[in-house]
Amino acid sequence: MLCPKFITPTQKALDDNHTLNPRQANESPNKILRRKMSASLAIETQDLGRIYKLRGSKKEPRKELVALQDVNLTVAKGELFGLLGPNGAGKTTLIKILTTLLSPTSGWAKVAGADVDREAESVRPRINMVSGGESSGYGLLTVRENLWMFSQFYGVPSKEANERIEALLEMIGMKDRMHTKSSDLSTGLRQKMNIVRGFLTQPEVLFLDEPTLGLDVGAMRDVRKFVLEWLKADKERTLLLTTHYMMEAEELCDRVAIINKGRVLACDTPTALKQRLQKDAIFEIQTSPLNGLSQQMLVDQPEVTQAAIAETETGAKLSLSLVEESALARVINLFTQKDVKVMNLTKREPTLEDVFVDLVGRSMAEEEDHGNTE
Amino acid sequence: MQTSTSWRSFRTAAWLGWVIESNWTDPFLFAVYSIVKPLSGAAILVIMYGVITQGAYDSALFPYIYLGNAFYIYVGAVMTGVSWAVVDDRELYKTLKYMYIAPINIPIYLLGRGGARFIVGSIAVLITILTGVFFLNVDINLAEVNWGLFFVSLTLGIIMLALIGLMLAGWTLITARHEGFIGEAVAAALYIFSGAVFPLDVLPEWLRPVGYFMPTTYWLELLRRSLVGDVAQAFPTLSQFSNLEILGVMIGLSILFGLVSVWVFKVCDNIARENGMIDRTTNY
Ligand SMILES: Nc1ncnc2c1ncn2[C@@H]1O[C@H](COP(=O)(O)OP(=O)(O)OP(=O)(O)O)[C@@H](O)[C@H]1O
Ligand SMILES: [Mg+2]
């Protein structure tokens, strides 16, 4: 499926049109548009697919596993784009292709304007990548040495590298560990060091594969704050992150692609995804005993689209979907008539979890269990 | 840009290799690897030689064997060093994928890692040779050493070993961890076929061509000739060739092996990328 654009490059390209130089002035409008669109894109994929050949036992024929299929995504420069999906959805596979570690088996992908398969050399200086949930690094080296070494591979002048290292470690809250051997760091701190490694080279496009996996709540907060600050510092910076934490995707990302079994099922801003799912307002209400007020009586109200009642020790718990928020007054009125007291009332927003359930028919946790038993 | 990328890759890799190899923070471990291990290897050889030849330490064969064994340390250090860098970075440090996405030249990076082991290996080689000179019957007359030939062949040989290591690194890239020992296996095979501790003539005739095809055979011969001149020429294997001829053959074979290695690495690198093996760790 095609992915709607966050900052429509078309619009942006047209707006920027007056900055054309004379040499480009005689290009056809169409051509200009296409070139400008490409220039404002950080990531672009076309019918991207990846099939793994699985080695079975010698007698069996080779099996194939479709890890990605027909992925069409565009990520504009400056976006924080999220890939959300259960285990085995293909998130890491997509990142591996986009970072030139793995060749696609069909389609193509461009990162920072260059083809990841055929022009890997021009992609690499412009990107970096961090995978969470693993502790990589040279244990013999200190945090600073580990980071400095990687900066050297990118040709960052040594003095500047050291300045950046200090600033980034400060930002992520581990400057005091700069001279600690990385083998002496906790797993979480190692992961933070690894995250700094990704940002250190000031990539145009940064890929974070589950950056907060295995971190405690405090460290997660540090990392999220760090990510947002880093992006804010330069409008051209683009970041693609994968996660299977719904909250993380909702909180951080400008746009999210929901991916399952190698396919992109939906792609939009978190708000738009949720709106598309449900225009209704959902209320959770706790009451005193219902005194004969039935589910039918509630549903008979024209503005109530759904009602669920669960008896509790002290009374009942109702979940109501209303066409619009203002209809709540009439429902409360009904309660008063029956002498039912409202103990607690909350309005629940639909979450990305609800969106996932709507698209796949199962929650992400159920999908992961299901996948494992298949 | 090209040269600066290569230089950057090599320099930083060599630095990393050096820090890893010269683990000064653990002087005991360092001493074991660079002094005790090579010396005990030499000791075994010396004792076995003594038993077999009934103590003929005066024979020209003794320095031949002793020096061959000493310089062979470089094969284990540099050649397997290059291929082990793949195993270490992928399995132990989990950094290989980050090296791969960096704008560096991977073969040169690996050569740099192996290059660092040249320095550490040199310490072992030097200690072994000095032990031979001072305590055993290995006569090296410093005035008669052909230093020019020595340094030229040493340098070329190290480059050759590193390039062969690249071929093994490629193979390691597309195989599982336990096959990282391929480096050790190849090193052991070369030990037998390169005239390291016995002249090729000792081998059955049908096996000798393997030895003649190995650049390491000519390399060891040149090192021995440069250090102890006549001793090496006491053996019929290559005695009819001049130093220059042997150097020529070695360079020719090194170029051939080098080209094949670079090609093999490229092919394996492609296979690894096609199959997603660059960040694959071994599951047992
Ligand atoms: N090298 C490989 N060879 C064969 N199959 C693979 C390989 N790598 C991944 N797969 C399979 O491809 C599918 C997608 O895997 P991928 O790692 O991309 O998922 P993911 O979305 O990152 O999952 P997770 O949340 O667990 O990290 C899975 O079924 C996985 O088993
Ligand atoms: Mg993954």
Side-chain angles (χ1 to χ4, degrees):
Chain A
M1 67 154 276
L2 269 168
C3 204
K5 275 132 203 127
F6 176 55
I7 312 161
T8 28
T10 324
Q11 200 55 50
K12 196 161 178 274
L14 289 171
D15 292 347
D16 291 353
N17 236 1
H18 62 273
T19 62
L20 280 182
N21 70 35
R23 190 182 55 78
Q24 294 162 339
N26 50 13
E27 277 179 295
S28 75
N30 240 342
K31 216 169 159 192
I32 293 170
L33 189 68
R34 220 165 343 155
R35 187 170 48 75
K36 282 249 154 187
M37 270 172 74
S38 269
S40 62
L41 289 180
I43 303 170
E44 191 181 1
T45 75
Q46 177 85 55
D47 301 330
L48 195 66
R50 172 70 211 193
I51 294 171
Y52 287 113
K53 291 200 171 61
L54 300 181
R55 255 193 283 185
S57 63
K58 283 198 179 115
K59 284 171 208 157
E60 281 177 58
R62 282 191 150 202
K63 279 194 199 154
E64 290 193 337
L65 188 145
V66 181
L68 281 181
Q69 204 173 351
D70 298 331
V71 174
N72 292 290
L73 287 175
T74 49
V75 177
K77 276 186 191 161
E79 260 195 284
L80 202 178
F81 190 90
L83 284 176
L84 180 65
N87 288 140
K91 305 183 294 293
T92 301
T93 301
L94 180 55
I95 286 206
K96 278 165 76 173
I97 293 175
L98 295 178
T99 53
T100 77
L101 282 174
L102 179 71
S103 314
T105 41
S106 56
W108 54 259
K110 279 185 180 183
V111 170
D115 188 289
V116 293
D117 203 29
R118 284 177 291 119
E119 303 166 299
E121 263 79 40
S122 23
V123 173
R124 284 189 201 129
R126 306 202 164 108
I127 61 163
N128 210 332
M129 186 257 290
V130 179
S131 331
E134 60 162 38
S135 38
S136 70
Y138 296 91
L140 284 164
L141 306 185
T142 65
V143 171
R144 191 198 67 80
E145 286 168 336
N146 262 296
L147 295 170
W148 176 83
M149 183 193 71
F150 276 101
S151 75
Q152 295 314 290
F153 286 134
Y154 287 78
V156 183
S158 194
K159 185 164 166 281
E160 191 182 337
N162 283 324
E163 285 165 7
R164 282 192 210 168
I165 290 167
E166 232 182 289
L168 290 172
L169 287 176
E170 171 98 66
M171 254 169 93
I172 210 164
M174 60 179 289
K175 194 178 162 202
D176 54 327
R177 310 309 287 271
M178 189 150 90
H179 301 294
T180 307
K181 278 202 170 179
S182 69
S183 56
D184 296 341
L185 296 176
S186 68
T187 319
L189 284 174
R190 260 188 173 218
Q191 191 155 326
K192 279 187 175 179
M193 172 183 87
N194 206 8
I195 288 171
V196 168
R197 179 188 53 69
F199 288 84
L200 179 61
T201 62
Q202 302 194 336
E204 285 172 38
V205 188
L206 178 59
F207 298 87
L208 300 178
D209 195 1
E210 318 237 11
T212 57
L213 190 73
L215 294 182
D216 66 32
V217 181
M220 261 191 204
R221 202 180 40 225
D222 287 349
V223 168
R224 288 175 191 160
K225 198 173 124 229
F226 178 82
V227 165
L228 290 176
E229 272 177 38
W230 185 79
L231 277 176
K232 217 166 60 185
D234 185 344
K235 290 271 182 299
E236 294 278 286
R237 290 173 175 169
T238 309
L239 200 147
L240 183 144
L241 73 84
T242 77
T243 179
H244 54 240
Y245 300 124
M246 299 286 181
M247 283 308 292
E248 190 161 282
E250 280 198 61
E251 254 178 58
L252 286 179
C253 299
D254 298 321
R255 276 191 314 145
V256 173
I258 294 182
I259 167 170
N260 192 40
K261 297 207 167 95
R263 284 178 175 279
V264 175
L265 302 177
C267 173
D268 214 326
T269 62
T271 321
L273 282 171
K274 287 181 292 187
Q275 270 171 4
R276 195 160 61 171
L277 170 71
Q278 217 163 21
K279 299 212 166 48
D280 299 359
I282 308 170
F283 289 95
E284 307 271 355
I285 308 170
Q286 253 175 334
T287 64
S288 60
L290 289 177
N291 298 334
L293 184 77
S294 69
Q295 196 240 4
Q296 195 55 49
M297 290 162 79
L298 288 167
V299 180
D300 283 346
Q301 302 292 314
E303 299 93 343
V304 178
T305 53
Q306 270 184 353
I309 299 177
E311 302 276 338
T312 64
E313 279 173 40
T314 53
K317 201 174 156 192
L318 292 83
S319 182
L320 299 179
S321 293
L322 306 181
V323 179
E324 53 180 15
E325 230 175 285
S326 58
L328 188 63
R330 218 161 314 172
V331 176
I332 302 285
N333 218 359
L334 198 66
F335 288 165
T336 323
Q337 283 168 22
K338 290 278 176 185
D339 202 22
V340 176
K341 284 200 184 72
V342 174
M343 329 275 272
N344 191 356
L345 184 148
T346 40
K347 181 174 179 215
R348 188 167 72 82
E349 293 292 334
T351 63
L352 284 183
E353 179 78 45
D354 296 317
V355 178
F356 188 86
V357 174
D358 184 60
L359 288 167
V360 179
R362 266 196 282 257
S363 76
M364 217 154 88
E366 283 171 332
E367 184 65 14
E368 285 179 356
D369 287 345
H370 189 75
N372 290 339
T373 52
E374 253 175 357
Chain B
M1 179 67 206
Q2 245 330 305
T3 49
S4 87
T5 302
S6 304
W7 171 234
R8 207 167 65 206
S9 314
F10 186 84
R11 189 189 49 188
T12 315
W15 175 83
L16 174 64
W18 170 248
V19 178
I20 293 175
E21 295 305 327
S22 65
N23 191 357
W24 302 105
T25 50
D26 195 345
F28 175 73
L29 214 70
F30 185 73
V32 166
Y33 274 96
S34 54
I35 302 171
V36 179
K37 207 174 143 228
L39 281 187
S40 42
I44 293 170
L45 196 73
V46 170
I47 293 165
M48 270 169 41
Y49 175 85
V51 172
I52 293 167
T53 63
Q54 287 161 355
Y57 291 109
D58 288 335
S59 155
L61 187 60
F62 182 65
Y64 178 99
I65 287 181
Y66 196 86
L67 290 177
N69 178 69
F71 283 109
Y72 202 81
I73 291 171
Y74 280 129
V75 177
V78 177
M79 190 181 77
T80 47
V82 172
S83 60
W84 267 108
V86 169
V87 179
D88 282 350
D89 278 2
R90 185 163 58 184
E91 308 260 350
L92 186 62
Y93 305 117
K94 310 226 178 345
T95 46
L96 190 65
K97 62 178 167 193
Y98 300 128
M99 297 298 172
Y100 252 89
I101 62 163
I104 59 173
N105 183 321
I106 289 290
I108 290 187
Y109 165 78
L110 294 173
L111 293 178
R113 288 287 295 277
R117 290 180 72 161
F118 163 72
I119 301 170
V120 184
S122 294
I123 299 173
V125 173
L126 194 68
I127 288 175
T128 311
I129 291 178
L130 289 179
T131 308
V133 171
F134 288 119
F135 302 103
L136 302 162
N137 224 356
V138 180
D139 268 328
I140 297 179
N141 185 345
L142 288 186
E144 284 174 21
V145 170
N146 185 345
W147 290 111
L149 183 65
F150 177 75
F151 284 112
V152 167
S153 27
L154 186 67
T155 312
L156 290 176
I158 297 304
I159 295 171
M160 164 204 56
L161 289 175
L163 284 172
I164 297 178
L166 197 59
M167 176 165 18
L168 301 177
W171 178 253
T172 308
L173 202 54
I174 61 169
T175 50
R177 174 183 193 150
H178 47 87
E179 285 174 66
F181 290 105
I182 183 86
E184 251 90 297
V186 170
L190 282 181
Y191 194 65
I192 299 170
F193 292 114
S194 302
V197 289
F198 49 80
L200 284 184
D201 313 70
V202 175
L203 289 174
E205 206 162 338
W206 58 275
L207 270 178
R208 278 178 223 164
V210 181
Y212 286 120
F213 191 59
M214 295 295 154
T216 40
T217 305
Y218 304 93
W219 176 61
L220 290 173
E221 178 74 10
L222 284 170
L223 289 173
R224 276 190 290 242
R225 280 191 186 193
S226 63
L227 290 181
V228 291
D230 312 337
V231 170
Q233 273 167 330
F235 297 95
T237 323
L238 299 166
S239 53
Q240 69 270 35
F241 300 108
S242 71
N243 290 348
L244 222 55
E245 281 169 334
I246 295 184
L247 191 64
V249 175
M250 184 195 124
I251 292 175
L253 283 176
S254 298
I255 290 174
L256 181 69
F257 270 70
L259 289 175
V260 171
S261 285
V262 170
W263 177 77
V264 167
F265 186 84
K266 268 217 168 96
V267 170
C268 293
D269 183 86
N270 263 328
I271 295 174
R273 211 182 296 277
E274 296 284 330
N275 295 293
M277 291 162 152
I278 290 158
D279 64 342
R280 191 175 68 180
T281 49
T282 314
N283 294 311
Y284 288 103

